[in-house]
Amino acid sequence: MTAIRRQFFIHVIQKYCVGIKQDKISREFSLRVLHIPAEEFEIIRQDAFSSGYTSYSMYDLNDFLDCLQRRICVPHNIFNSVLKDADIQVGEIITIRAKCEEYLTLIKMHANEYLIADTNWKINWKSYITIDSEDELGIGKTILGKEITNFAFLEPSRAIRVYDELHTDSIYAVYVPQEIWTLYNKAREEVVNGLNPAIYDELNDLYLHAGLSTAVLICILNSIIRNLEK
Amino acid sequence: MNVQKIIEYRRIEDEKLFYIIKQTVRRTGNYTIVRRGKLLGLVNADNKEILPTIFDDIKGPYQNHCLFLCVENKWGFYNLHENRWLLSPLFDELYYHDQYNTLEIITKQKHGLYSIRLDKIIIQPQYDEVCLIDINDYIWARQEKKIIFFKTETGISISPSDVEMVYDIPHHMVVKHYNGRICCINEDGIDDRLAYRRFIIKHRGRYKFQNYKYQVNDLADIYGYVLNEELW
Protein backbone atom coordinates (compact mmCIF):
# COMPACT_ATOMS: atom_id res chain seq x y z
CA MET A 1 0.00 0.00 0.00
CA THR A 2 2.76 2.45 0.88
CA ALA A 3 4.34 2.02 -2.55
CA ILE A 4 1.01 2.75 -4.22
CA ARG A 5 0.40 5.80 -2.03
CA ARG A 6 3.92 7.05 -2.72
CA GLN A 7 3.45 6.51 -6.44
CA PHE A 8 0.26 8.51 -6.28
CA PHE A 9 1.84 11.42 -4.42
CA ILE A 10 4.78 11.45 -6.83
CA HIS A 11 2.21 11.79 -9.58
CA VAL A 12 0.61 14.71 -7.71
CA ILE A 13 3.99 16.45 -7.32
CA GLN A 14 4.81 16.02 -10.98
CA LYS A 15 1.46 17.39 -12.04
CA TYR A 16 0.73 20.14 -9.56
CA CYS A 17 3.99 21.30 -7.96
CA VAL A 18 5.87 23.88 -10.01
CA GLY A 19 9.01 24.12 -7.86
CA ILE A 20 10.41 26.83 -5.62
CA LYS A 21 8.76 30.18 -6.14
CA GLN A 22 8.90 33.54 -4.40
CA ASP A 23 5.70 35.21 -3.29
CA LYS A 24 5.49 38.68 -4.83
CA ILE A 25 3.95 40.27 -1.76
CA SER A 26 5.50 38.54 1.22
CA ARG A 27 8.74 37.83 -0.69
CA GLU A 28 8.84 34.44 1.06
CA PHE A 29 10.01 31.35 -0.79
CA SER A 30 8.05 28.10 -0.85
CA LEU A 31 7.29 25.12 -3.04
CA ARG A 32 4.43 26.40 -5.12
CA VAL A 33 1.48 24.12 -5.67
CA LEU A 34 -0.88 24.95 -8.51
CA HIS A 35 -4.47 25.80 -7.77
CA ILE A 36 -6.49 22.67 -8.36
CA PRO A 37 -9.95 23.39 -9.80
CA ALA A 38 -12.83 21.53 -8.14
CA GLU A 39 -13.53 19.47 -11.24
CA GLU A 40 -9.96 18.16 -11.23
CA PHE A 41 -10.38 16.54 -7.84
CA GLU A 42 -12.50 13.89 -9.54
CA ILE A 43 -9.71 13.31 -12.07
CA ILE A 44 -7.22 12.97 -9.21
CA ARG A 45 -9.54 10.52 -7.51
CA GLN A 46 -9.65 8.44 -10.67
CA ASP A 47 -5.85 8.59 -10.92
CA ALA A 48 -5.61 7.40 -7.34
CA PHE A 49 -7.97 4.52 -7.96
CA SER A 50 -6.32 3.53 -11.22
CA SER A 51 -2.93 3.44 -9.46
CA GLY A 52 -4.43 1.07 -6.88
CA TYR A 53 -4.73 3.58 -4.03
CA THR A 54 -8.32 2.75 -3.26
CA SER A 55 -8.38 4.17 0.27
CA TYR A 56 -7.56 7.62 -1.07
CA SER A 57 -9.37 10.49 0.59
CA MET A 58 -9.45 14.20 -0.04
CA TYR A 59 -7.91 14.68 3.38
CA ASP A 60 -4.78 12.78 2.23
CA LEU A 61 -4.37 15.07 -0.74
CA ASN A 62 -4.98 18.26 1.23
CA ASP A 63 -2.58 17.21 3.95
CA PHE A 64 0.08 16.30 1.41
CA LEU A 65 -0.24 19.58 -0.51
CA ASP A 66 -0.29 21.55 2.73
CA CYS A 67 2.93 19.83 3.87
CA LEU A 68 4.52 20.47 0.50
CA GLN A 69 3.77 24.17 0.43
CA ARG A 70 3.50 25.33 4.01
CA ARG A 71 4.64 22.69 6.50
CA ILE A 72 8.00 21.86 5.02
CA CYS A 73 9.41 21.01 8.45
CA VAL A 74 8.01 19.22 11.45
CA PRO A 75 9.39 19.34 15.02
CA HIS A 76 11.71 16.60 16.18
CA ASN A 77 12.25 16.67 19.93
CA ILE A 78 15.20 15.38 21.87
CA PHE A 79 13.42 15.05 25.17
CA ASN A 80 15.09 16.24 28.36
CA SER A 81 18.46 16.50 26.72
CA VAL A 82 21.12 19.13 26.86
CA LEU A 83 22.97 19.40 23.58
CA LYS A 84 26.25 20.90 22.55
CA ASP A 85 27.36 22.17 19.19
CA ALA A 86 28.85 18.78 18.31
CA ASP A 87 25.40 17.17 18.76
CA ILE A 88 23.97 19.20 15.90
CA GLN A 89 24.64 18.26 12.29
CA VAL A 90 25.57 20.79 9.63
CA GLY A 91 22.42 21.68 7.67
CA GLU A 92 20.08 21.01 10.58
CA ILE A 93 17.43 23.53 11.50
CA ILE A 94 16.76 24.18 15.17
CA THR A 95 14.07 26.27 16.74
CA ILE A 96 14.46 27.81 20.17
CA ARG A 97 11.73 29.47 22.16
CA ALA A 98 12.08 31.86 25.06
CA LYS A 99 9.53 33.56 27.27
CA CYS A 100 6.91 35.90 25.80
CA GLU A 101 6.53 33.98 22.52
CA GLU A 102 10.03 34.84 21.45
CA TYR A 103 11.56 32.45 18.98
CA LEU A 104 14.85 31.95 17.19
CA THR A 105 15.32 29.59 14.26
CA LEU A 106 18.87 28.66 13.37
CA ILE A 107 20.55 26.62 10.65
CA LYS A 108 23.92 25.09 11.43
CA MET A 109 26.32 26.17 8.70
CA HIS A 110 29.66 25.02 10.07
CA ALA A 111 31.05 23.89 13.41
CA ASN A 112 29.98 26.54 15.98
CA GLU A 113 28.36 28.76 13.30
CA TYR A 114 24.61 29.18 12.91
CA LEU A 115 22.67 31.18 10.38
CA ILE A 116 19.73 33.07 11.90
CA ALA A 117 16.88 31.84 9.72
CA ASP A 118 14.10 33.62 11.55
CA THR A 119 13.57 35.36 14.87
CA ASN A 120 11.49 37.96 16.66
CA TRP A 121 14.16 38.57 19.28
CA LYS A 122 15.33 42.11 19.63
CA ILE A 123 18.98 41.48 18.96
CA ASN A 124 21.50 43.60 17.17
CA TRP A 125 20.80 42.26 13.76
CA LYS A 126 23.38 40.02 12.26
CA SER A 127 23.02 37.13 9.90
CA TYR A 128 24.67 34.49 12.05
CA ILE A 129 25.70 33.69 15.60
CA THR A 130 28.35 31.45 17.06
CA ILE A 131 27.78 28.84 19.71
CA ASP A 132 30.91 27.68 21.50
CA SER A 133 31.71 24.00 21.72
CA GLU A 134 31.15 24.01 25.48
CA ASP A 135 27.91 26.00 25.40
CA GLU A 136 24.83 24.00 26.31
CA LEU A 137 21.50 24.10 24.52
CA GLY A 138 18.39 22.81 26.19
CA ILE A 139 15.42 23.82 28.28
CA GLY A 140 16.54 26.07 31.15
CA LYS A 141 19.84 26.96 29.49
CA THR A 142 20.48 30.41 28.04
CA ILE A 143 21.29 31.61 24.57
CA LEU A 144 21.99 35.25 23.69
CA GLY A 145 21.09 36.11 27.27
CA LYS A 146 17.63 34.53 27.16
CA GLU A 147 16.41 31.45 28.94
CA ILE A 148 15.34 28.64 26.62
CA THR A 149 11.79 27.46 27.33
CA ASN A 150 11.57 25.04 24.40
CA PHE A 151 14.04 23.55 22.01
CA ALA A 152 13.44 21.32 18.98
CA PHE A 153 14.93 20.32 15.68
CA LEU A 154 12.92 20.90 12.54
CA GLU A 155 13.13 17.89 10.26
CA PRO A 156 11.90 17.83 6.66
CA SER A 157 8.28 16.68 6.46
CA ARG A 158 7.44 13.48 4.62
CA ALA A 159 6.03 15.41 1.69
CA ILE A 160 9.34 17.23 1.30
CA ARG A 161 11.20 13.95 1.57
CA VAL A 162 9.14 12.55 -1.29
CA TYR A 163 9.84 15.73 -3.25
CA ASP A 164 13.58 15.43 -2.52
CA GLU A 165 13.64 11.79 -3.50
CA LEU A 166 11.80 12.53 -6.71
CA HIS A 167 14.27 15.21 -7.74
CA THR A 168 17.48 13.37 -7.06
CA ASP A 169 18.60 9.84 -6.53
CA SER A 170 21.75 10.90 -4.75
CA ILE A 171 20.66 12.92 -1.68
CA TYR A 172 21.03 9.89 0.54
CA ALA A 173 24.09 8.53 -1.20
CA VAL A 174 26.26 11.44 -0.11
CA TYR A 175 27.54 12.30 3.32
CA VAL A 176 26.34 15.48 4.96
CA PRO A 177 28.82 18.31 4.15
CA GLN A 178 31.11 19.78 6.80
CA GLU A 179 30.10 23.35 5.96
CA ILE A 180 27.43 24.99 3.82
CA TRP A 181 28.52 28.62 3.70
CA THR A 182 29.61 28.12 0.09
CA LEU A 183 26.12 26.92 -0.80
CA TYR A 184 24.63 29.80 1.20
CA ASN A 185 26.73 32.35 -0.70
CA LYS A 186 25.64 30.84 -3.99
CA ALA A 187 21.98 31.18 -2.97
CA ARG A 188 22.53 34.71 -1.67
CA GLU A 189 24.12 35.75 -4.94
CA GLU A 190 21.08 34.51 -6.86
CA VAL A 191 18.59 36.17 -4.51
CA VAL A 192 20.43 39.50 -4.66
CA ASN A 193 20.55 39.34 -8.46
CA GLY A 194 16.93 38.16 -8.51
CA LEU A 195 16.87 37.99 -12.28
CA ASN A 196 15.98 34.44 -13.14
CA PRO A 197 13.13 32.76 -11.21
CA ALA A 198 14.09 29.37 -12.69
CA ILE A 199 17.46 29.56 -10.94
CA TYR A 200 15.91 28.34 -7.67
CA ASP A 201 15.21 24.90 -9.08
CA GLU A 202 18.82 24.74 -10.26
CA LEU A 203 19.89 25.77 -6.77
CA ASN A 204 17.68 23.04 -5.41
CA ASP A 205 19.51 20.47 -7.53
CA LEU A 206 22.81 21.81 -6.21
CA TYR A 207 21.64 21.48 -2.60
CA LEU A 208 20.12 18.05 -3.13
CA HIS A 209 23.32 16.77 -4.69
CA ALA A 210 25.20 18.07 -1.65
CA GLY A 211 22.90 15.99 0.57
CA LEU A 212 20.69 18.84 1.78
CA SER A 213 16.92 18.77 1.69
CA THR A 214 14.76 21.23 -0.21
CA ALA A 215 13.47 22.30 3.21
CA VAL A 216 16.96 23.56 4.13
CA LEU A 217 17.25 25.53 0.89
CA ILE A 218 13.86 27.18 1.41
CA CYS A 219 14.82 28.14 4.98
CA ILE A 220 18.12 29.58 3.74
CA LEU A 221 16.40 31.54 0.94
CA ASN A 222 13.90 33.02 3.39
CA SER A 223 16.69 33.86 5.77
CA ILE A 224 18.50 35.72 2.99
CA ILE A 225 15.34 37.68 2.19
CA ARG A 226 14.89 38.63 5.85
CA ASN A 227 18.54 39.65 6.08
CA LEU A 228 18.26 41.83 3.00
CA GLU A 229 15.18 43.53 4.38
CA LYS A 230 16.86 44.49 7.67
CA MET B 1 19.44 -42.70 30.83
CA ASN B 2 21.28 -39.41 30.46
CA VAL B 3 23.75 -38.78 27.67
CA GLN B 4 26.85 -39.06 29.87
CA LYS B 5 25.78 -42.48 31.07
CA ILE B 6 25.03 -43.57 27.50
CA ILE B 7 28.50 -42.41 26.40
CA GLU B 8 30.14 -44.25 29.31
CA TYR B 9 28.12 -47.40 28.62
CA ARG B 10 28.99 -47.30 24.92
CA ARG B 11 32.66 -46.71 25.69
CA ILE B 12 32.76 -49.84 27.83
CA GLU B 13 30.92 -51.84 25.16
CA ASP B 14 33.28 -50.48 22.47
CA GLU B 15 36.33 -51.65 24.42
CA LYS B 16 34.85 -55.13 24.60
CA LEU B 17 34.61 -55.23 20.80
CA PHE B 18 38.33 -54.55 20.23
CA TYR B 19 38.62 -57.63 18.05
CA ILE B 20 36.20 -56.27 15.41
CA ILE B 21 38.14 -54.25 12.84
CA LYS B 22 36.87 -50.73 12.25
CA GLN B 23 35.77 -49.89 8.72
CA THR B 24 36.64 -46.63 7.02
CA VAL B 25 33.61 -44.45 6.35
CA ARG B 26 35.30 -41.36 4.96
CA ARG B 27 38.42 -39.29 5.30
CA THR B 28 38.06 -35.79 6.59
CA GLY B 29 41.16 -33.58 6.77
CA ASN B 30 43.84 -35.31 8.85
CA TYR B 31 41.30 -37.71 10.31
CA THR B 32 39.29 -40.72 9.20
CA ILE B 33 35.78 -41.47 10.36
CA VAL B 34 35.49 -45.16 11.10
CA ARG B 35 32.60 -47.51 11.82
CA ARG B 36 32.25 -50.46 14.14
CA GLY B 37 28.81 -51.95 13.98
CA LYS B 38 26.33 -49.08 13.76
CA LEU B 39 28.48 -46.59 15.62
CA LEU B 40 31.12 -44.17 14.41
CA GLY B 41 34.48 -43.05 15.77
CA LEU B 42 37.59 -41.21 14.62
CA VAL B 43 41.20 -42.21 13.98
CA ASN B 44 44.17 -40.12 12.90
CA ALA B 45 46.48 -40.66 9.92
CA ASP B 46 48.47 -43.21 11.94
CA ASN B 47 45.27 -45.15 12.62
CA LYS B 48 45.45 -44.17 16.28
CA GLU B 49 42.07 -43.84 17.98
CA ILE B 50 41.08 -40.23 18.57
CA LEU B 51 37.43 -40.88 19.43
CA PRO B 52 36.00 -44.32 20.26
CA THR B 53 33.29 -45.76 18.00
CA ILE B 54 30.40 -44.71 20.19
CA PHE B 55 28.66 -41.99 18.13
CA ASP B 56 25.54 -42.24 15.99
CA ASP B 57 26.77 -39.57 13.61
CA ILE B 58 29.79 -37.32 13.08
CA LYS B 59 29.86 -34.07 11.09
CA GLY B 60 32.78 -31.81 10.38
CA PRO B 61 35.50 -30.99 11.04
CA TYR B 62 34.99 -27.27 11.41
CA GLN B 63 38.06 -25.03 11.69
CA ASN B 64 39.99 -28.35 11.17
CA HIS B 65 39.62 -29.43 14.78
CA CYS B 66 35.98 -29.25 15.89
CA LEU B 67 33.32 -31.88 15.25
CA PHE B 68 29.60 -32.25 15.68
CA LEU B 69 29.00 -35.54 17.47
CA CYS B 70 25.60 -37.18 17.84
CA VAL B 71 24.54 -39.48 20.65
CA GLU B 72 20.94 -40.69 20.81
CA ASN B 73 19.72 -37.86 18.55
CA LYS B 74 21.44 -35.25 20.69
CA TRP B 75 24.27 -33.20 19.22
CA GLY B 76 27.37 -31.85 20.89
CA PHE B 77 30.44 -29.93 19.74
CA TYR B 78 33.87 -31.42 20.39
CA ASN B 79 37.30 -29.83 20.21
CA LEU B 80 39.92 -32.35 19.02
CA HIS B 81 42.90 -30.14 19.87
CA GLU B 82 41.82 -29.66 23.46
CA ASN B 83 40.26 -33.12 23.62
CA ARG B 84 37.10 -31.85 25.34
CA TRP B 85 33.45 -31.14 24.73
CA LEU B 86 32.79 -27.49 24.01
CA LEU B 87 29.10 -28.33 24.14
CA SER B 88 27.90 -31.60 25.62
CA PRO B 89 25.55 -33.61 23.38
CA LEU B 90 22.32 -32.18 24.75
CA PHE B 91 20.92 -30.32 21.73
CA ASP B 92 18.44 -31.33 19.04
CA GLU B 93 20.30 -29.34 16.37
CA LEU B 94 23.46 -27.27 16.04
CA TYR B 95 24.29 -24.84 13.25
CA TYR B 96 27.80 -23.56 12.80
CA HIS B 97 27.87 -20.03 11.35
CA ASP B 98 31.39 -20.02 9.96
CA GLN B 99 31.18 -16.38 8.89
CA TYR B 100 30.67 -15.32 12.51
CA ASN B 101 32.31 -18.28 14.28
CA THR B 102 29.24 -18.94 16.42
CA LEU B 103 26.99 -21.92 17.01
CA GLU B 104 23.24 -21.70 16.97
CA ILE B 105 21.91 -24.25 19.43
CA ILE B 106 18.38 -25.62 19.21
CA THR B 107 16.46 -27.61 21.79
CA LYS B 108 12.73 -28.29 21.61
CA GLN B 109 12.56 -25.80 18.72
CA LYS B 110 13.98 -23.04 20.89
CA HIS B 111 17.14 -21.29 19.75
CA GLY B 112 20.18 -20.09 21.63
CA LEU B 113 23.74 -19.01 20.81
CA TYR B 114 27.10 -20.43 21.78
CA SER B 115 30.17 -18.24 21.39
CA ILE B 116 33.27 -20.19 20.37
CA ARG B 117 35.34 -17.09 21.05
CA LEU B 118 34.04 -16.76 24.62
CA ASP B 119 33.59 -20.53 25.06
CA LYS B 120 30.16 -20.19 26.63
CA ILE B 121 26.47 -20.17 25.84
CA ILE B 122 25.66 -16.48 25.59
CA ILE B 123 21.95 -16.93 24.83
CA GLN B 124 20.16 -19.89 26.39
CA PRO B 125 18.02 -21.96 23.98
CA GLN B 126 14.72 -20.37 25.00
CA TYR B 127 13.93 -18.14 22.02
CA ASP B 128 12.32 -18.33 18.59
CA GLU B 129 15.28 -16.66 16.90
CA VAL B 130 18.68 -15.37 17.91
CA CYS B 131 21.33 -13.13 16.38
CA LEU B 132 24.33 -14.75 14.71
CA ILE B 133 27.22 -12.69 15.99
CA ASP B 134 28.91 -12.52 19.36
CA ILE B 135 31.37 -9.67 18.94
CA ASN B 136 28.97 -6.82 19.71
CA ASP B 137 28.47 -5.31 23.17
CA TYR B 138 24.80 -6.24 22.90
CA ILE B 139 23.25 -9.31 21.30
CA TRP B 140 19.57 -10.04 20.76
CA ALA B 141 16.96 -12.76 20.67
CA ARG B 142 13.34 -12.80 19.56
CA GLN B 143 10.52 -14.45 21.45
CA GLU B 144 7.36 -14.29 19.32
CA LYS B 145 7.24 -10.55 18.49
CA LYS B 146 9.26 -9.43 21.50
CA ILE B 147 12.92 -8.46 21.08
CA ILE B 148 15.25 -8.95 24.02
CA PHE B 149 18.80 -7.59 24.15
CA PHE B 150 21.54 -9.13 26.27
CA LYS B 151 24.64 -7.38 27.37
CA THR B 152 27.30 -9.76 26.05
CA GLU B 153 29.65 -9.16 28.97
CA THR B 154 27.20 -9.60 31.81
CA GLY B 155 24.14 -11.33 30.34
CA ILE B 156 21.80 -8.59 31.66
CA SER B 157 18.60 -8.55 29.57
CA ILE B 158 16.95 -5.41 28.24
CA SER B 159 13.45 -5.44 26.73
CA PRO B 160 12.54 -2.46 24.53
CA SER B 161 8.93 -2.15 23.39
CA ASP B 162 7.35 -1.57 19.99
CA VAL B 163 10.23 -3.06 17.98
CA GLU B 164 9.79 -4.03 14.34
CA MET B 165 13.46 -4.64 13.46
CA VAL B 166 16.69 -4.96 15.40
CA TYR B 167 20.20 -4.26 14.11
CA ASP B 168 23.63 -5.73 14.78
CA ILE B 169 25.75 -2.73 15.83
CA PRO B 170 29.10 -3.01 17.68
CA HIS B 171 28.48 -0.79 20.72
CA HIS B 172 24.80 0.17 20.70
CA MET B 173 21.34 -1.33 20.88
CA VAL B 174 19.56 -0.04 17.78
CA VAL B 175 16.01 -0.84 16.73
CA LYS B 176 13.40 0.22 14.22
CA HIS B 177 10.03 0.93 15.78
CA TYR B 178 6.71 0.15 14.14
CA ASN B 179 6.43 3.83 13.15
CA GLY B 180 9.40 3.23 10.84
CA ARG B 181 11.91 5.26 12.88
CA ILE B 182 15.30 3.91 13.89
CA CYS B 183 16.58 4.77 17.36
CA CYS B 184 19.15 3.76 19.97
CA ILE B 185 17.91 2.08 23.13
CA ASN B 186 19.45 2.69 26.54
CA GLU B 187 19.93 0.05 29.24
CA ASP B 188 16.53 0.88 30.71
CA GLY B 189 14.99 -0.19 27.39
CA ILE B 190 13.98 3.39 26.53
CA ASP B 191 14.68 5.35 23.35
CA ASP B 192 17.89 7.37 23.52
CA ARG B 193 17.61 9.91 20.71
CA LEU B 194 20.72 11.77 21.80
CA ALA B 195 22.87 8.64 21.62
CA TYR B 196 21.42 7.89 18.18
CA ARG B 197 22.09 11.47 17.05
CA ARG B 198 25.72 11.30 18.23
CA PHE B 199 26.16 7.94 16.51
CA ILE B 200 24.86 9.30 13.19
CA ILE B 201 26.93 12.50 13.38
CA LYS B 202 30.02 10.36 14.03
CA HIS B 203 29.21 8.58 10.77
CA ARG B 204 28.75 11.84 8.84
CA GLY B 205 24.99 11.89 8.67
CA ARG B 206 24.19 8.47 7.20
CA TYR B 207 24.62 4.95 8.48
CA LYS B 208 23.77 1.58 7.01
CA PHE B 209 22.20 -0.48 9.78
CA GLN B 210 22.48 -4.20 9.22
CA ASN B 211 20.82 -7.27 10.57
CA TYR B 212 22.86 -10.30 9.58
CA LYS B 213 20.18 -12.80 10.54
CA TYR B 214 17.47 -11.28 8.36
CA GLN B 215 19.94 -9.84 5.84
CA VAL B 216 18.50 -6.35 6.21
CA ASN B 217 20.40 -3.20 5.19
CA ASP B 218 18.67 0.02 6.21
CA LEU B 219 20.32 3.34 5.41
CA ALA B 220 19.15 5.92 7.93
CA ASP B 221 19.53 9.64 8.57
CA ILE B 222 19.84 11.65 11.77
CA TYR B 223 16.08 11.64 12.39
CA GLY B 224 15.90 7.85 12.19
CA TYR B 225 14.24 7.71 8.79
CA VAL B 226 15.09 4.71 6.65
CA LEU B 227 16.19 6.30 3.41
CA ASN B 228 16.15 3.27 1.15
CA GLU B 229 12.53 2.53 1.96
CA GLU B 230 9.23 3.86 0.71
CA LEU B 231 8.65 7.10 2.55
CA TRP B 232 4.93 7.46 2.44
Side-chain angles (χ1 to χ4, degrees), chain B residues 135-179:
Chain B
I135 53 173
N136 294 342
D137 292 352
Y138 300 93
I139 50 179
W140 58 267
R142 187 180 63 77
Q143 176 70 20
E144 293 178 350
K145 285 188 173 179
K146 182 92 183 150
I147 292 288
I148 299 141
F149 282 103
F150 300 94
K151 201 168 182 179
T152 314
E153 214 170 72
T154 60
I156 291 170
S157 67
I158 298 139
S159 303
S161 58
D162 184 38
V163 176
E164 184 190 353
M165 178 54 65
V166 57
Y167 302 98
D168 298 307
I169 308 296
H171 307 298
H172 293 84
M173 291 177 279
V174 180
V175 301
K176 180 165 79 175
H177 291 298
Y178 280 104
N179 65 7

Side-chain angles (χ1 to χ4, degrees), chain A residues 6 77 87 92 155, chain B residues 181 193 197-198 223 230:
Chain A
R6 179 174 160 276
N77 286 303
D87 299 326
E92 276 199 286
E155 61 169 60
Chain B
R181 295 278 189 120
R193 288 188 176 187
R197 161 170 289 277
R198 287 174 176 165
Y223 304 111
E230 307 298 356

Side-chain angles (χ1 to χ4, degrees), chain B:
Chain B
M1 201 186 301
N2 73 30
V3 174
Q4 284 306 326
K5 284 185 178 171
I6 293 170
I7 288 174
E8 199 50 44
Y9 173 77
R10 284 185 180 184
R11 193 187 296 274
I12 293 164
E13 290 298 306
D14 185 53
E15 282 172 8
K16 288 180 189 171
L17 298 172
F18 68 92
Y19 53 87
I20 299 175
I21 296 169
K22 295 170 183 171
Q23 294 172 318
T24 299
V25 176
R26 66 183 166 90
R27 286 191 169 77
T28 169
N30 295 328
Y31 304 100
T32 302
I33 296 173
V34 292
R35 178 189 295 280
R36 182 185 271 157
K38 287 182 179 176
L39 300 176
L40 303 176
L42 198 73
V43 296
N44 66 11
D46 301 328
N47 213 28
K48 186 186 166 196
E49 182 181 283
I50 304 298
L51 293 172
T53 42
I54 60 171
F55 301 103
D56 297 314
D57 200 356
I58 296 176
K59 286 180 185 171
Y62 300 93
Q63 297 180 326
N64 290 324
H65 62 276
C66 288
L67 290 170
F68 285 146
L69 303 175
C70 179
V71 179
E72 293 285 325
N73 290 324
K74 295 292 180 187
W75 288 90
F77 198 54
Y78 193 85
N79 186 322
L80 292 169
H81 283 178
E82 296 175 14
N83 199 23
R84 69 178 180 101
W85 289 99
L86 296 178
L87 282 174
S88 295
L90 300 168
F91 304 97
D92 296 342
E93 291 173 77
L94 294 174
Y95 288 106
Y96 176 59
H97 298 292
D98 56 350
Q99 205 177 341
Y100 313 109
N101 200 28
T102 53
L103 273 183
E104 196 170 343
I105 56 182
I106 304 170
T107 297
K108 293 176 184 169
Q109 296 183 321
K110 292 294 180 187
H111 298 238
L113 194 70
Y114 170 78
S115 166
I116 295 173
R117 180 176 65 88
L118 300 171
D119 188 19
K120 66 176 183 181
I121 294 175
I122 52 175
I123 302 176
Q124 293 297 328
Q126 298 168 351
Y127 302 95
D128 293 339
E129 280 181 314
V130 291
C131 64
L132 306 180
I133 59 177
D134 64 350
I135 53 173
N136 294 342
D137 292 352
Y138 300 93
I139 50 179
W140 58 267
R142 187 180 63 77
Q143 176 70 20
E144 293 178 350
K145 285 188 173 179
K146 182 92 183 150
I147 292 288
I148 299 141
F149 282 103
F150 300 94
K151 201 168 182 179
T152 314
E153 214 170 72
T154 60
I156 291 170
S157 67
I158 298 139
S159 303
S161 58
D162 184 38
V163 176
E164 184 190 353
M165 178 54 65
V166 57
Y167 302 98
D168 298 307
I169 308 296
H171 307 298
H172 293 84
M173 291 177 279
V174 180
V175 301
K176 180 165 79 175
H177 291 298
Y178 280 104
N179 65 7
R181 295 278 189 120
I182 294 178
C183 196
C184 284
I185 299 293
N186 65 20
E187 290 197 357
D188 295 323
I190 298 166
D191 280 10
D192 189 343
R193 288 188 176 187
L194 186 55
Y196 177 80
R197 161 170 289 277
R198 287 174 176 165
F199 179 83
I200 290 288
I201 289 174
K202 189 178 162 190
H203 293 90
R204 297 186 59 197
R206 318 269 187 247
Y207 190 81
K208 187 168 79 173
F209 293 95
Q210 293 181 292
N211 180 306
Y212 299 106
K213 174 82 179 179
Y214 304 124
Q215 298 187 339
V216 167
N217 294 299
D218 284 340
L219 181 71
D221 70 1
I222 198 159
Y223 304 111
Y225 271 108
V226 178
L227 305 174
N228 53 331
E229 201 174 63
E230 307 298 356
L231 288 169
W232 204 274

